Amino acid sequence: LTATIANLRRVEWESFGINFVLVFSPNTFVGAPHTHLATLTYPKGGEVRDEIALAKAAAETYPTVTTVRVKDALDAINKVVTDLATAIRAASSVALIASIIVLAGALAAGHRHRIYDAVVLKTLGATRGRLVGAFALEYAMLGLVTAVFGVAAGSFAAYAVLTWVMKVGFSFEPGPAALTVLVAAIVTVTLGLIGSWRVLGQRPAGVLRGA
């Protein structure tokens, strides 16, 4: 009996339907004002014109009955959720662009040191290909470390918001996280090599005299 009552009072909010029952003694609400609530579903999903015609007929036959199309409510909720997701994506894009600018600034800050290192290594016999490989490895490590830290910090923030504030479950997706780290490394290497390409063409004599 206890299990049956628990099942009767189990509410499934995600269905947006009447799926719960409250059991009371017959004399509990004797004489109390009340309203009736009912839902109607077409067997194969009705057409819009059929639903509108039914709502008009119900209003004409029962003027005190309020008819609400659940599809309209769901469409309104879906629009709000879609707009919220768009706003989140826009904010994330701004943060991503800002991080790329910061990364480019960090790479540009060490430009002079890279010129000096490249010139010294070329003087000692390093080839252009070896220098490109060394720079690519440096930028790849920088991108990987930055991306891993960003993914870890973002995942912890998402976990905190979802579990402590919104009281919902959190699921870590390793696939998108790994893709993010890979893309960050590729972008870092690309920006770094673009900025360092002129370094590889510097003549050792002029740089060494200036140092």
Side-chain angles (χ1 to χ4, degrees), residues 20-72:
F20 61 93
V21 178
L22 300 179
V23 181
F24 293 94
S25 172
N27 295 324
T28 303
F29 297 103
V30 174
H34 63 279
T35 57
H36 295 280
L37 178 66
T39 59
L40 175 63
T41 303
Y42 286 93
K44 296 182 180 179
E47 299 289 338
V48 176
R49 61 177 180 272
D50 297 333
E51 297 174 357
I52 295 176
L54 177 61
K56 290 182 178 180
E60 293 174 356
T61 307
Y62 305 100
T64 59
V65 172
T66 302
T67 304
V68 178
R69 294 182 69 243
V70 179
K71 288 183 180 179
D72 294 338

Side-chain angles (χ1 to χ4, degrees), residues 152-171:
S155 298
F156 176 77
Y159 171 81
V161 171
L162 291 175
T163 57
W164 298 343
V165 179
M166 303 180 66
K167 305 299 182 181
V168 296
F170 172 79
S171 177

Side-chain angles (χ1 to χ4, degrees), residues 21-172:
V21 178
L22 300 179
V23 181
F24 293 94
S25 172
N27 295 324
T28 303
F29 297 103
V30 174
H34 63 279
T35 57
H36 295 280
L37 178 66
T39 59
L40 175 63
T41 303
Y42 286 93
K44 296 182 180 179
E47 299 289 338
V48 176
R49 61 177 180 272
D50 297 333
E51 297 174 357
I52 295 176
L54 177 61
K56 290 182 178 180
E60 293 174 356
T61 307
Y62 305 100
T64 59
V65 172
T66 302
T67 304
V68 178
R69 294 182 69 243
V70 179
K71 288 183 180 179
D72 294 338
L74 293 178
D75 291 341
I77 295 174
N78 184 54
K79 185 179 184 304
V80 172
V81 174
T82 301
D83 293 342
L84 181 61
T86 302
I88 293 175
R89 291 191 182 96
S92 301
S93 300
V94 172
L96 181 60
I97 294 174
S99 63
I100 292 176
I101 295 175
V102 172
L103 179 61
L107 295 177
H111 182 71
R112 181 177 179 83
H113 296 288
R114 289 186 179 85
I115 292 178
Y116 184 78
D117 293 342
V119 167
V120 171
L121 292 174
K122 287 174 66 176
T123 303
L124 296 176
T127 62
R128 182 183 292 265
R130 189 178 295 275
L131 290 176
V132 170
F135 284 151
L137 180 60
E138 177 186 359
Y139 297 139
M141 294 299 297
L142 177 62
L144 288 175
V145 171
T146 304
V148 169
F149 176 79
V151 169
S155 298
F156 176 77
Y159 171 81
V161 171
L162 291 175
T163 57
W164 298 343
V165 179
M166 303 180 66
K167 305 299 182 181
V168 296
F170 172 79
S171 177
F172 179 76

